Amino acid sequence: MIPTLCFIISPLWHSQQMGATACCDGCLCTRSIPPKCQCEDIKPQCHANCQLCRCAMCQPPQCKCLNVTSFCYPKCSSSSATITDE
């Protein structure tokens, strides 16, 4: 088994990102009003609405959006961004 080697790179700002549809399967929110929510998903790229993206240089890349919002994006499984092999 070949070990995975990853390097954390500096955060990517909005202008440097790819453009995926915003969705999140693992959203966590505080109970405050308004809530403070953050997506915990790790994906090959951050979505187009992400203002601050942190990626690990792995194969495949592992990126996480660090935005804090007052809402959760729709689940990826119910989003048009999900591609299924049928």
Side-chain angles (χ1 to χ4, degrees):
M1 181 176 196
I2 299 172
T4 302
L5 182 62
C6 298
F7 298 98
I8 301 296
I9 61 172
S10 60
L12 300 175
W13 300 100
H14 182 66
S15 61
Q16 297 173 299
Q17 293 176 45
M18 309 297 271
T21 303
C23 66
C24 181
D25 286 327
C27 185
L28 299 176
C29 296
T30 63
R31 293 183 181 183
S32 61
I33 298 175
K36 294 179 182 176
C37 304
Q38 188 170 28
C39 184
E40 296 296 316
D41 291 359
I42 296 176
K43 300 178 181 180
Q45 65 186 24
C46 290
H47 58 80
N49 293 339
C50 183
Q51 298 297 311
L52 182 59
C53 179
R54 174 158 290 165
C55 295
M57 294 299 291
C58 297
Q59 236 5 348
Q62 297 177 0
C63 300
K64 180 182 176 189
C65 182
L66 301 176
N67 285 7
V68 176
T69 61
S70 61
F71 61 92
C72 291
Y73 289 102
K75 291 208 175 275
C76 297
S77 54
S78 65
S79 168
S80 60
T82 303
I83 301 171
T84 57
D85 294 325
E86 294 184 49

